[in-house]
Amino acid sequence: MSILAWIVLGLIAGFIASMLVSRSGGGLVLDLVLGIVGAVVGGFLFNQFGSAGVTGFNLYSLLVATIGAVVVLLIYHMIAGRRAL
């Protein structure tokens, strides 16, 4: 998959995950970074459970990346929430 496809997939996955977790977007850069990290994490998690990870620019890969981004966002909010207190 090309870098541009990873960026687009990460941006979409990060935005969807941000809406699922916090009901508001965290900003373009944060959504992009967490979405790309989430795609990697989602691919790793799916491979660990015996399923295919990110396979290209398709709906299945978007689902994998979004699930990974949700996991990353939950961890991010746990860490950022503790700093704010």
Side-chain angles (χ1 to χ4, degrees):
M1 211 161 79
S2 72
I3 296 294
L4 182 60
W6 272 102
I7 291 172
V8 171
L9 184 70
L11 180 60
I12 295 168
F15 178 76
I16 292 170
S18 181
M19 291 296 164
L20 291 172
V21 172
S22 65
R23 304 284 188 241
S24 64
L28 182 66
V29 175
L30 183 64
D31 287 348
L32 176 64
V33 170
L34 292 179
I36 292 171
V37 171
V40 173
V41 169
F44 175 76
L45 289 175
F46 272 64
N47 282 329
Q48 293 300 313
F49 289 112
S51 185
V54 176
T55 59
F57 194 74
N58 53 37
L59 192 58
Y60 176 75
S61 294
L62 181 62
L63 176 70
V64 170
T66 302
I67 290 172
V70 166
V71 170
V72 170
L73 271 172
L74 289 173
I75 292 170
Y76 171 78
H77 283 297
M78 286 177 12
I79 293 170
R82 289 185 182 161
R83 282 189 202 161
L85 296 175

